[in-house]
Structures are given as C-alpha cells and as structure tokens.
Amino acid sequence: DDVLFLLTEDQRDRSIREGQKFQVGQRVFVLLRSDKHLGKAVILQQPIESADRKGEKEEIERYQVQYDSTGSTFWSNAKRIMKVHDSRPNGNFVLLCSNTEEYRRLARSQVEKEDKIGEIGSSYGICTNILSEGCDNVFGIDISQEGVLKSRDSFPHIEFHLFDVLNNEQLSKKLLGDRNKIFIDIGGNREIETVVRILKFVLEEIKPQLVVVKSKELTKDARNFLSHKENHNDTIHNDSWWSSLITKYNSSGDSDGREEGLSVQSWYQKAHDKRFTKNPLRFPQVLTKEGVSICRPHNYRKEGCLKRDVCRFDHDHCHHCVEKGHIALDCLEAHNIR
C-alpha cells in the first residue's frame, strides 16, 4: 500500500486558489459560523451567474448544497466548502496540518457516522468530543494522567485510555486494530522524531483509510520539501520524503556497541550531552506498562524527588528505558553504553 500526503493549510481557499471544481453529487463539508458540526452536505448544482444587490455580476462563486442534517438547500460560498476525502482502495490518505483550528475543522469534516475512530494524544478530550459529534464509535488515548482523568470527567460518554502507544504496541494494536480513521495530536510542537515514529506505527500496523496529523514540525518539513519541487500542489505521493524521514528517525540515536534492545531517544541523547541541565518537567511524560507516569525529578535530579513521601508518580522505573534498577541519569551506564 502506498501513502498520499496532503497539506491542508488554507483548505477553505483551496477551491479558489487551485481552480478546483466540485461536482454534482459530491460529498462536501460547509464551514458554518454556528452549529459547526452540521456542515455535512452534498453538491446539488454548480455555480451559475448571479447578480448582487446593485445588479452587477457577483464575483463570489457559489454552489447549491443540501445539508444532511435538515435536508434544506443553500447557495454556499465556495471558499467555505471543504472537500471530503474518499478512501483510497490501495493506499492511505495522510492529512497534515500545523494548528488546532485546522485540526478541529478536519475532525468535523472528514468523519462519517459509521466510522470507527481513535485519537492519539487526546489531551483534555476537546477534539475527541468534536469527533464524537459526527461518529458514534470513538475513543481517545493519552499519556497524561491529568488529561485522561479530566477528559473522563468532562466527557463521560467517551472512553479515554491512559498509556503510551509506542511503549505498548500490543495494547495499541488491540485497541486501534479496527479503526478506519486515526487522528494524531501529540503536541503541535512536539519533536518530529516522535511524530514520525507514531505515524509509521499507525501506517504499518493499523493501516487505517485516513490519518489526520497535527504537527508543526512535520508540516514544516513537508512544506520545505515541496518548495524545491516544480508545479507542486501541496501533495506528496510515492516520493522519497517519507522514506527518508523513516530512515532518519527510526534509527535515531543508534550507535555501534549499543546493547541490543535499547533505543536511545534523541531528546535523551541531547539532554545527556548537556549533562541534564534542563528542568526535568520539560522532558516528555513516560508511563510504565501499567500506565503510571514515571517521576521525572526522581530520575533527573541528583537529590531525587523532594516530595517522594507524597508524590503519586512511579519511582521504581527509569524514565528513559522504563526498566527497573536504575534512574535515567544512569541509564546509558546501566546498559554499558559509553
């Protein structure tokens, strides 16, 4: 199966900017100012010449649409119409965006009632709830215990799971295996390595029809790649770009003589080289296999966790390799890596 990447920034203007035409009978989504989740519609009629209030020809291109929710018809501005992407029989769609507004627009527009959806990086559940407005079968996954607990409290009609997808691949396959659409938002400014590794896992192991990814760094990298290509249209298809990212980041941190089975994360290697001067709370959250967050101050401060008696986080596992017997400060030495 091949993968088609599409950058979705400025998607509201795509029909005008690229001269894209919508066809009668085509499924679309209209960006409404209110009741935003009710924008699903079908094109009934292509634009016809019309006059504005002064009797002059109207320059705005409008399509007649019929809304799914009410059956009513309306002549909608083409700039407010988004394409609903059909599934590809022999491959995957990956929609890339870099901001929350666009990510939530895609959550409203690219979802059908019969879909089965999982969101990786559900945070406080806001976008997961948006997904649930268009689909009955959706759940969220996050590594933040605080985020998951708040999500469960705010949106009790949705399931939220607390675990790390990359550190619990078997559980991930079990939960995500029947999902036909995956949304990924593990932090818009998260290191590109983590995003690439999660996306690679989803594409190779879950193989959904559609993946939507919010990532500033990945979108920036894709735009930089496209800027060097002639006649591009914000689409990357069967190209070396994704393969090069997999090669670069899937083997990130590997070195000769490393103990088999230990993969040194790039963020850890950078912190190690700087003698761990960074505030421990700025390192990513890591969970044990039981889903308990590992205490970062305990792992990165020589004096350990000063609130250990009342701290609710795990103090038995290494924050880097998630093994017992040592802390992250001593992880490389514990694995005989110099």
Side-chain angles (χ1 to χ4, degrees), residues 150-208:
K150 185 173 179 61
S151 297
R152 290 170 177 170
D153 184 57
S154 301
F155 309 109
H157 60 291
I158 303 174
E159 285 189 6
F160 291 94
H161 302 276
L162 176 63
F163 68 93
D164 187 326
V165 169
L166 291 177
N167 288 336
N168 297 271
E169 291 192 1
Q170 292 304 315
L171 178 58
S172 299
K173 291 178 185 179
K174 180 179 179 180
L175 282 177
L176 296 169
D178 66 341
R179 306 289 99 176
N180 67 311
K181 293 179 182 177
I182 301 289
F183 282 68
I184 301 173
D185 178 13
I186 57 171
N189 59 352
R190 191 80 169 266
E191 283 192 17
I192 189 173
E193 175 192 356
T194 308
V195 179
V196 169
R197 290 178 62 216
I198 288 180
L199 181 54
K200 176 179 181 291
F201 169 77
V202 167
L203 291 175
E204 293 181 357
E205 302 296 337
I206 310 303
K207 301 179 181 179

Short mmCIF file of all heavy atoms in Angstrom, two decimals, residues 150-208:
data_model
loop_
_atom_site.label_atom_id
_atom_site.label_comp_id
_atom_site.label_asym_id
_atom_site.label_seq_id
_atom_site.Cartn_x
_atom_site.Cartn_y
_atom_site.Cartn_z
N LYS A 150 -9.33 14.27 33.52
CA LYS A 150 -10.18 15.42 33.23
C LYS A 150 -11.10 15.12 32.05
O LYS A 150 -12.27 15.53 32.04
CB LYS A 150 -9.32 16.65 32.95
CG LYS A 150 -10.14 17.93 32.76
CD LYS A 150 -9.25 19.14 32.65
CE LYS A 150 -10.06 20.41 32.44
NZ LYS A 150 -10.97 20.67 33.57
N SER A 151 -10.57 14.42 31.04
CA SER A 151 -11.39 14.06 29.87
C SER A 151 -12.55 13.17 30.27
O SER A 151 -13.69 13.37 29.82
CB SER A 151 -10.52 13.35 28.83
OG SER A 151 -9.50 14.19 28.36
N ARG A 152 -12.26 12.17 31.10
CA ARG A 152 -13.32 11.26 31.54
C ARG A 152 -14.39 12.00 32.33
O ARG A 152 -15.58 11.68 32.25
CB ARG A 152 -12.71 10.14 32.40
CG ARG A 152 -11.86 9.16 31.61
CD ARG A 152 -11.10 8.23 32.55
NE ARG A 152 -10.33 7.23 31.80
CZ ARG A 152 -9.42 6.42 32.36
NH1 ARG A 152 -9.21 6.48 33.67
NH2 ARG A 152 -8.76 5.56 31.62
N ASP A 153 -13.97 13.01 33.10
CA ASP A 153 -14.91 13.78 33.89
C ASP A 153 -15.75 14.71 33.01
O ASP A 153 -16.95 14.86 33.20
CB ASP A 153 -14.16 14.61 34.94
CG ASP A 153 -15.10 15.38 35.86
OD1 ASP A 153 -15.95 14.74 36.50
OD2 ASP A 153 -14.98 16.61 35.92
N SER A 154 -15.10 15.32 31.98
CA SER A 154 -15.79 16.28 31.12
C SER A 154 -16.68 15.61 30.08
O SER A 154 -17.74 16.14 29.72
CB SER A 154 -14.77 17.18 30.41
OG SER A 154 -13.98 17.90 31.34
N PHE A 155 -16.25 14.45 29.60
CA PHE A 155 -16.96 13.78 28.51
C PHE A 155 -17.18 12.31 28.87
O PHE A 155 -16.53 11.41 28.32
CB PHE A 155 -16.18 13.90 27.20
CG PHE A 155 -15.77 15.31 26.88
CD1 PHE A 155 -14.44 15.70 26.97
CD2 PHE A 155 -16.71 16.25 26.49
CE1 PHE A 155 -14.05 16.99 26.68
CE2 PHE A 155 -16.33 17.56 26.19
CZ PHE A 155 -15.00 17.93 26.29
N PRO A 156 -18.08 12.04 29.80
CA PRO A 156 -18.29 10.66 30.30
C PRO A 156 -18.83 9.70 29.24
O PRO A 156 -18.78 8.49 29.45
CB PRO A 156 -19.30 10.86 31.44
CG PRO A 156 -19.98 12.15 31.15
CD PRO A 156 -18.95 13.01 30.49
N HIS A 157 -19.33 10.22 28.12
CA HIS A 157 -19.87 9.36 27.07
C HIS A 157 -18.77 8.80 26.16
O HIS A 157 -19.04 8.01 25.27
CB HIS A 157 -20.88 10.13 26.22
CG HIS A 157 -20.31 11.33 25.53
ND1 HIS A 157 -19.92 12.46 26.20
CD2 HIS A 157 -20.06 11.57 24.21
CE1 HIS A 157 -19.46 13.35 25.35
NE2 HIS A 157 -19.53 12.84 24.12
N ILE A 158 -17.51 9.21 26.39
CA ILE A 158 -16.38 8.78 25.55
C ILE A 158 -15.38 8.01 26.40
O ILE A 158 -15.11 8.37 27.55
CB ILE A 158 -15.68 10.00 24.92
CG1 ILE A 158 -16.66 10.84 24.11
CG2 ILE A 158 -14.52 9.55 24.02
CD1 ILE A 158 -16.07 12.14 23.58
N GLU A 159 -14.79 6.96 25.84
CA GLU A 159 -13.73 6.20 26.52
C GLU A 159 -12.39 6.90 26.31
O GLU A 159 -12.06 7.31 25.20
CB GLU A 159 -13.64 4.78 25.97
CG GLU A 159 -14.74 3.85 26.44
CD GLU A 159 -14.48 2.41 26.04
OE1 GLU A 159 -13.39 2.14 25.49
OE2 GLU A 159 -15.37 1.57 26.24
N PHE A 160 -11.61 7.01 27.38
CA PHE A 160 -10.26 7.56 27.30
C PHE A 160 -9.30 6.57 27.97
O PHE A 160 -9.55 6.11 29.07
CB PHE A 160 -10.18 8.93 27.99
CG PHE A 160 -10.94 10.01 27.27
CD1 PHE A 160 -12.24 10.31 27.62
CD2 PHE A 160 -10.35 10.71 26.23
CE1 PHE A 160 -12.95 11.30 26.95
CE2 PHE A 160 -11.04 11.71 25.55
CZ PHE A 160 -12.35 12.00 25.91
N HIS A 161 -8.20 6.28 27.26
CA HIS A 161 -7.24 5.29 27.74
C HIS A 161 -5.92 5.97 28.08
O HIS A 161 -5.46 6.87 27.36
CB HIS A 161 -7.00 4.22 26.67
CG HIS A 161 -8.25 3.50 26.26
ND1 HIS A 161 -8.76 2.43 26.95
CD2 HIS A 161 -9.11 3.72 25.22
CE1 HIS A 161 -9.87 2.00 26.35
NE2 HIS A 161 -10.11 2.78 25.30
N LEU A 162 -5.30 5.52 29.16
CA LEU A 162 -4.05 6.10 29.64
C LEU A 162 -2.89 5.13 29.36
O LEU A 162 -2.71 4.16 30.09
CB LEU A 162 -4.14 6.38 31.14
CG LEU A 162 -2.87 6.91 31.83
CD1 LEU A 162 -2.48 8.26 31.27
CD2 LEU A 162 -3.08 6.98 33.35
N PHE A 163 -2.15 5.36 28.30
CA PHE A 163 -0.94 4.59 28.04
C PHE A 163 -0.16 5.23 26.90
O PHE A 163 -0.66 6.10 26.19
CB PHE A 163 -1.25 3.12 27.72
CG PHE A 163 -1.96 2.88 26.42
CD1 PHE A 163 -1.25 2.61 25.25
CD2 PHE A 163 -3.34 2.91 26.35
CE1 PHE A 163 -1.91 2.38 24.05
CE2 PHE A 163 -4.01 2.66 25.16
CZ PHE A 163 -3.29 2.40 24.01
N ASP A 164 1.08 4.79 26.74
CA ASP A 164 1.97 5.29 25.69
C ASP A 164 1.91 4.33 24.50
O ASP A 164 2.24 3.15 24.64
CB ASP A 164 3.41 5.38 26.23
CG ASP A 164 4.37 6.04 25.26
OD1 ASP A 164 4.20 5.87 24.05
OD2 ASP A 164 5.30 6.72 25.73
N VAL A 165 1.48 4.81 23.36
CA VAL A 165 1.30 3.95 22.18
C VAL A 165 2.60 3.25 21.80
O VAL A 165 2.60 2.04 21.51
CB VAL A 165 0.77 4.79 20.99
CG1 VAL A 165 0.84 3.99 19.68
CG2 VAL A 165 -0.67 5.22 21.26
N LEU A 166 3.72 3.97 21.79
CA LEU A 166 4.98 3.38 21.33
C LEU A 166 5.56 2.38 22.33
O LEU A 166 6.26 1.45 21.94
CB LEU A 166 6.00 4.50 21.06
CG LEU A 166 5.70 5.38 19.85
CD1 LEU A 166 6.75 6.48 19.73
CD2 LEU A 166 5.65 4.56 18.56
N ASN A 167 5.27 2.57 23.60
CA ASN A 167 5.79 1.65 24.61
C ASN A 167 4.84 0.50 24.92
O ASN A 167 5.15 -0.36 25.75
CB ASN A 167 6.10 2.41 25.91
CG ASN A 167 7.34 3.28 25.78
OD1 ASN A 167 8.20 3.02 24.94
ND2 ASN A 167 7.42 4.32 26.58
N ASN A 168 3.68 0.51 24.28
CA ASN A 168 2.70 -0.56 24.49
C ASN A 168 2.07 -0.94 23.16
O ASN A 168 0.87 -0.78 22.92
CB ASN A 168 1.61 -0.08 25.46
CG ASN A 168 2.13 0.24 26.84
OD1 ASN A 168 2.20 -0.62 27.70
ND2 ASN A 168 2.50 1.49 27.05
N GLU A 169 2.91 -1.45 22.26
CA GLU A 169 2.45 -1.70 20.89
C GLU A 169 1.38 -2.78 20.82
O GLU A 169 0.45 -2.68 20.01
CB GLU A 169 3.64 -2.07 20.00
CG GLU A 169 4.59 -0.90 19.76
CD GLU A 169 5.60 -1.18 18.67
OE1 GLU A 169 5.55 -2.30 18.09
OE2 GLU A 169 6.45 -0.31 18.39
N GLN A 170 1.47 -3.80 21.64
CA GLN A 170 0.46 -4.87 21.60
C GLN A 170 -0.90 -4.35 22.03
O GLN A 170 -1.93 -4.65 21.40
CB GLN A 170 0.89 -6.04 22.49
CG GLN A 170 2.11 -6.79 21.98
CD GLN A 170 1.91 -7.30 20.55
OE1 GLN A 170 0.86 -7.87 20.21
NE2 GLN A 170 2.91 -7.12 19.70
N LEU A 171 -0.93 -3.55 23.09
CA LEU A 171 -2.19 -2.94 23.52
C LEU A 171 -2.71 -1.98 22.47
O LEU A 171 -3.92 -1.92 22.20
CB LEU A 171 -1.98 -2.21 24.85
CG LEU A 171 -3.20 -1.47 25.42
CD1 LEU A 171 -4.38 -2.42 25.63
CD2 LEU A 171 -2.83 -0.76 26.73
N SER A 172 -1.79 -1.24 21.84
CA SER A 172 -2.18 -0.30 20.79
C SER A 172 -2.83 -1.02 19.62
O SER A 172 -3.86 -0.59 19.09
CB SER A 172 -0.96 0.49 20.30
OG SER A 172 -0.38 1.24 21.35
N LYS A 173 -2.23 -2.13 19.20
CA LYS A 173 -2.79 -2.91 18.09
C LYS A 173 -4.18 -3.46 18.45
O LYS A 173 -5.08 -3.48 17.62
CB LYS A 173 -1.85 -4.08 17.74
CG LYS A 173 -0.54 -3.65 17.12
CD LYS A 173 0.33 -4.87 16.86
CE LYS A 173 1.71 -4.48 16.36
NZ LYS A 173 2.57 -5.66 16.14
N LYS A 174 -4.32 -3.88 19.70
CA LYS A 174 -5.60 -4.45 20.14
C LYS A 174 -6.70 -3.40 20.11
O LYS A 174 -7.82 -3.65 19.64
CB LYS A 174 -5.45 -5.03 21.55
CG LYS A 174 -6.73 -5.66 22.10
CD LYS A 174 -6.50 -6.23 23.49
CE LYS A 174 -7.78 -6.83 24.05
NZ LYS A 174 -7.58 -7.40 25.41
N LEU A 175 -6.40 -2.19 20.62
CA LEU A 175 -7.42 -1.15 20.71
C LEU A 175 -7.67 -0.46 19.36
O LEU A 175 -8.80 -0.14 19.02
CB LEU A 175 -7.01 -0.10 21.74
CG LEU A 175 -7.20 -0.46 23.21
CD1 LEU A 175 -6.66 0.65 24.10
CD2 LEU A 175 -8.67 -0.70 23.52
N LEU A 176 -6.59 -0.24 18.61
CA LEU A 176 -6.70 0.54 17.37
C LEU A 176 -6.91 -0.32 16.13
O LEU A 176 -7.16 0.21 15.05
CB LEU A 176 -5.43 1.39 17.18
CG LEU A 176 -5.16 2.46 18.23
CD1 LEU A 176 -3.75 3.02 18.06
CD2 LEU A 176 -6.19 3.59 18.12
N GLY A 177 -6.81 -1.62 16.29
CA GLY A 177 -6.82 -2.52 15.13
C GLY A 177 -8.01 -2.41 14.21
O GLY A 177 -7.89 -2.62 13.00
N ASP A 178 -9.19 -2.06 14.75
CA ASP A 178 -10.39 -1.99 13.90
C ASP A 178 -10.74 -0.55 13.51
O ASP A 178 -11.79 -0.30 12.92
CB ASP A 178 -11.59 -2.62 14.61
CG ASP A 178 -12.01 -1.82 15.83
OD1 ASP A 178 -11.20 -1.01 16.34
OD2 ASP A 178 -13.16 -1.99 16.29
N ARG A 179 -9.84 0.39 13.80
CA ARG A 179 -10.12 1.80 13.47
C ARG A 179 -9.86 2.07 11.99
O ARG A 179 -8.79 1.71 11.47
CB ARG A 179 -9.25 2.75 14.29
CG ARG A 179 -9.29 2.58 15.79
CD ARG A 179 -10.61 3.03 16.39
NE ARG A 179 -11.52 1.91 16.65
CZ ARG A 179 -12.69 2.03 17.24
NH1 ARG A 179 -13.11 3.23 17.64
NH2 ARG A 179 -13.46 0.99 17.42
N ASN A 180 -10.80 2.70 11.31
CA ASN A 180 -10.57 3.04 9.90
C ASN A 180 -10.06 4.47 9.73
O ASN A 180 -9.60 4.86 8.65
CB ASN A 180 -11.85 2.85 9.07
CG ASN A 180 -12.94 3.83 9.45
OD1 ASN A 180 -13.25 3.99 10.63
ND2 ASN A 180 -13.54 4.48 8.46
N LYS A 181 -10.10 5.26 10.82
CA LYS A 181 -9.54 6.61 10.79
C LYS A 181 -8.84 6.89 12.12
O LYS A 181 -9.37 6.56 13.18
CB LYS A 181 -10.63 7.65 10.52
CG LYS A 181 -11.23 7.54 9.13
CD LYS A 181 -12.32 8.57 8.87
CE LYS A 181 -12.91 8.38 7.46
NZ LYS A 181 -14.02 9.32 7.19
N ILE A 182 -7.64 7.48 12.02
CA ILE A 182 -6.85 7.80 13.21
C ILE A 182 -6.51 9.28 13.17
O ILE A 182 -6.05 9.80 12.15
CB ILE A 182 -5.54 6.99 13.26
CG1 ILE A 182 -5.83 5.48 13.26
CG2 ILE A 182 -4.72 7.39 14.50
CD1 ILE A 182 -6.44 4.96 14.53
N PHE A 183 -6.72 9.96 14.29
CA PHE A 183 -6.32 11.36 14.44
C PHE A 183 -5.15 11.41 15.43
O PHE A 183 -5.21 10.75 16.48
CB PHE A 183 -7.48 12.21 14.94
CG PHE A 183 -8.47 12.58 13.86
CD1 PHE A 183 -9.27 11.60 13.28
CD2 PHE A 183 -8.58 13.88 13.41
CE1 PHE A 183 -10.18 11.92 12.28
CE2 PHE A 183 -9.48 14.22 12.41
CZ PHE A 183 -10.29 13.24 11.84
N ILE A 184 -4.11 12.17 15.09
CA ILE A 184 -2.90 12.21 15.92
C ILE A 184 -2.58 13.66 16.27
O ILE A 184 -2.36 14.49 15.39
CB ILE A 184 -1.70 11.58 15.19
CG1 ILE A 184 -1.99 10.11 14.84
CG2 ILE A 184 -0.44 11.68 16.05
CD1 ILE A 184 -0.91 9.47 13.97
N ASP A 185 -2.53 13.94 17.57
CA ASP A 185 -2.13 15.26 18.05
C ASP A 185 -1.37 15.08 19.35
O ASP A 185 -1.93 15.15 20.44
CB ASP A 185 -3.36 16.16 18.27
CG ASP A 185 -2.98 17.53 18.81
OD1 ASP A 185 -1.78 17.87 18.79
OD2 ASP A 185 -3.88 18.26 19.27
N ILE A 186 -0.09 14.82 19.23
CA ILE A 186 0.72 14.58 20.44
C ILE A 186 1.46 15.85 20.86
O ILE A 186 2.51 15.79 21.50
CB ILE A 186 1.71 13.43 20.23
CG1 ILE A 186 2.64 13.69 19.04
CG2 ILE A 186 0.97 12.13 20.03
CD1 ILE A 186 3.76 12.69 18.94
N GLY A 187 0.90 16.98 20.51
CA GLY A 187 1.53 18.26 20.81
C GLY A 187 2.02 18.88 19.52
O GLY A 187 2.91 18.33 18.87
N GLY A 188 1.43 20.01 19.13
CA GLY A 188 1.75 20.60 17.83
C GLY A 188 3.21 20.94 17.64
O GLY A 188 3.70 21.01 16.52
N ASN A 189 3.96 21.16 18.73
CA ASN A 189 5.37 21.50 18.60
C ASN A 189 6.28 20.38 19.11
O ASN A 189 7.44 20.59 19.42
CB ASN A 189 5.68 22.79 19.37
CG ASN A 189 5.33 22.67 20.85
OD1 ASN A 189 4.74 21.69 21.26
ND2 ASN A 189 5.70 23.67 21.62
N ARG A 190 5.73 19.19 19.20
CA ARG A 190 6.49 18.02 19.67
C ARG A 190 7.59 17.70 18.68
O ARG A 190 7.48 17.95 17.48
CB ARG A 190 5.55 16.82 19.79
CG ARG A 190 6.14 15.62 20.52
CD ARG A 190 6.08 15.80 22.03
NE ARG A 190 6.40 14.55 22.70
CZ ARG A 190 5.49 13.69 23.10
NH1 ARG A 190 4.23 13.94 22.90
NH2 ARG A 190 5.85 12.58 23.71
N GLU A 191 8.67 17.13 19.15
CA GLU A 191 9.77 16.77 18.27
C GLU A 191 9.29 15.89 17.13
O GLU A 191 8.50 14.97 17.32
CB GLU A 191 10.86 16.03 19.06
CG GLU A 191 11.72 16.96 19.90
CD GLU A 191 12.94 16.24 20.44
OE1 GLU A 191 13.28 15.16 19.93
OE2 GLU A 191 13.56 16.77 21.38
N ILE A 192 9.80 16.17 15.95
CA ILE A 192 9.35 15.46 14.75
C ILE A 192 9.63 13.96 14.85
O ILE A 192 8.89 13.15 14.30
CB ILE A 192 10.01 16.08 13.49
CG1 ILE A 192 9.38 15.50 12.22
CG2 ILE A 192 11.52 15.90 13.52
CD1 ILE A 192 9.85 16.17 10.95
N GLU A 193 10.67 13.58 15.57
CA GLU A 193 11.02 12.15 15.69
C GLU A 193 9.86 11.35 16.27
O GLU A 193 9.50 10.29 15.74
CB GLU A 193 12.26 11.98 16.57
CG GLU A 193 12.58 10.51 16.82
CD GLU A 193 13.62 10.31 17.90
OE1 GLU A 193 14.15 11.32 18.42
OE2 GLU A 193 13.91 9.15 18.23
N THR A 194 9.27 11.86 17.35
CA THR A 194 8.18 11.14 17.99
C THR A 194 6.97 11.03 17.07
O THR A 194 6.32 9.98 16.99
CB THR A 194 7.77 11.85 19.30
OG1 THR A 194 8.93 12.04 20.10
CG2 THR A 194 6.76 11.02 20.07
N VAL A 195 6.68 12.11 16.35
CA VAL A 195 5.54 12.10 15.43
C VAL A 195 5.76 11.08 14.32
O VAL A 195 4.86 10.32 13.96
CB VAL A 195 5.33 13.51 14.82
CG1 VAL A 195 4.16 13.49 13.84
CG2 VAL A 195 5.09 14.54 15.91
N VAL A 196 6.97 11.06 13.76
CA VAL A 196 7.29 10.12 12.67
C VAL A 196 7.17 8.68 13.15
O VAL A 196 6.60 7.82 12.46
CB VAL A 196 8.71 10.39 12.11
CG1 VAL A 196 9.15 9.26 11.18
CG2 VAL A 196 8.73 11.72 11.36
N ARG A 197 7.65 8.40 14.36
CA ARG A 197 7.61 7.03 14.87
C ARG A 197 6.17 6.57 15.10
O ARG A 197 5.81 5.43 14.78
CB ARG A 197 8.42 6.94 16.16
CG ARG A 197 9.93 7.08 15.95
CD ARG A 197 10.68 7.02 17.27
NE ARG A 197 10.49 5.75 17.91
CZ ARG A 197 10.40 5.58 19.23
NH1 ARG A 197 10.45 6.62 20.03
NH2 ARG A 197 10.25 4.38 19.75
N ILE A 198 5.33 7.45 15.63
CA ILE A 198 3.92 7.08 15.85
C ILE A 198 3.20 6.91 14.52
O ILE A 198 2.44 5.96 14.33
CB ILE A 198 3.22 8.14 16.73
CG1 ILE A 198 3.72 8.04 18.17
CG2 ILE A 198 1.70 7.95 16.68
CD1 ILE A 198 3.10 9.01 19.12
N LEU A 199 3.44 7.84 13.58
CA LEU A 199 2.78 7.74 12.28
C LEU A 199 3.23 6.49 11.53
O LEU A 199 2.41 5.81 10.90
CB LEU A 199 3.09 8.99 11.44
CG LEU A 199 2.44 9.06 10.05
CD1 LEU A 199 0.94 8.88 10.13
CD2 LEU A 199 2.79 10.39 9.38
N LYS A 200 4.49 6.15 11.62
CA LYS A 200 5.00 4.93 10.98
C LYS A 200 4.29 3.71 11.57
O LYS A 200 3.86 2.80 10.83
CB LYS A 200 6.50 4.82 11.19
CG LYS A 200 7.13 3.52 10.65
CD LYS A 200 8.63 3.52 10.89
CE LYS A 200 9.26 2.24 10.34
NZ LYS A 200 8.87 1.03 11.11
N PHE A 201 4.16 3.67 12.89
CA PHE A 201 3.49 2.55 13.54
C PHE A 201 2.03 2.45 13.07
O PHE A 201 1.55 1.36 12.74
CB PHE A 201 3.54 2.74 15.07
CG PHE A 201 2.66 1.79 15.82
CD1 PHE A 201 3.03 0.46 16.01
CD2 PHE A 201 1.43 2.21 16.33
CE1 PHE A 201 2.20 -0.42 16.70
CE2 PHE A 201 0.60 1.34 17.01
CZ PHE A 201 0.98 0.02 17.20
N VAL A 202 1.35 3.57 13.01
CA VAL A 202 -0.06 3.58 12.61
C VAL A 202 -0.22 3.11 11.16
O VAL A 202 -1.08 2.28 10.85
CB VAL A 202 -0.67 4.99 12.78
CG1 VAL A 202 -2.01 5.10 12.08
CG2 VAL A 202 -0.82 5.31 14.27
N LEU A 203 0.63 3.61 10.26
CA LEU A 203 0.52 3.26 8.85
C LEU A 203 0.86 1.79 8.58
O LEU A 203 0.23 1.13 7.76
CB LEU A 203 1.42 4.16 8.00
CG LEU A 203 1.00 5.63 7.90
CD1 LEU A 203 2.05 6.43 7.14
CD2 LEU A 203 -0.36 5.76 7.23
N GLU A 204 1.87 1.27 9.31
CA GLU A 204 2.33 -0.09 9.05
C GLU A 204 1.55 -1.15 9.82
O GLU A 204 1.35 -2.26 9.32
CB GLU A 204 3.82 -0.20 9.38
CG GLU A 204 4.70 0.63 8.45
CD GLU A 204 6.18 0.48 8.77
OE1 GLU A 204 6.52 -0.23 9.76
OE2 GLU A 204 7.00 1.06 8.04
N GLU A 205 1.10 -0.82 11.01
CA GLU A 205 0.46 -1.82 11.87
C GLU A 205 -1.07 -1.71 11.89
O GLU A 205 -1.76 -2.72 11.95
CB GLU A 205 1.01 -1.73 13.29
CG GLU A 205 2.52 -1.92 13.39
CD GLU A 205 2.96 -3.31 12.97
OE1 GLU A 205 2.14 -4.25 13.02
OE2 GLU A 205 4.14 -3.47 12.60
N ILE A 206 -1.60 -0.50 11.86
CA ILE A 206 -3.05 -0.30 11.94
C ILE A 206 -3.67 -0.20 10.54
O ILE A 206 -4.75 -0.71 10.29
CB ILE A 206 -3.39 0.96 12.76
CG1 ILE A 206 -2.64 0.93 14.11
CG2 ILE A 206 -4.90 1.06 12.98
CD1 ILE A 206 -2.90 -0.29 14.95
N LYS A 207 -2.98 0.49 9.64
CA LYS A 207 -3.39 0.64 8.23
C LYS A 207 -4.80 1.19 8.07
O LYS A 207 -5.66 0.61 7.40
CB LYS A 207 -3.27 -0.71 7.50
CG LYS A 207 -1.85 -1.29 7.51
CD LYS A 207 -1.78 -2.62 6.81
CE LYS A 207 -0.36 -3.18 6.85
NZ LYS A 207 -0.25 -4.49 6.18
N PRO A 208 -5.08 2.36 8.67
CA PRO A 208 -6.41 2.97 8.51
C PRO A 208 -6.55 3.61 7.13
O PRO A 208 -5.55 3.85 6.43
CB PRO A 208 -6.42 4.03 9.60
CG PRO A 208 -4.98 4.43 9.75
CD PRO A 208 -4.19 3.17 9.51
#
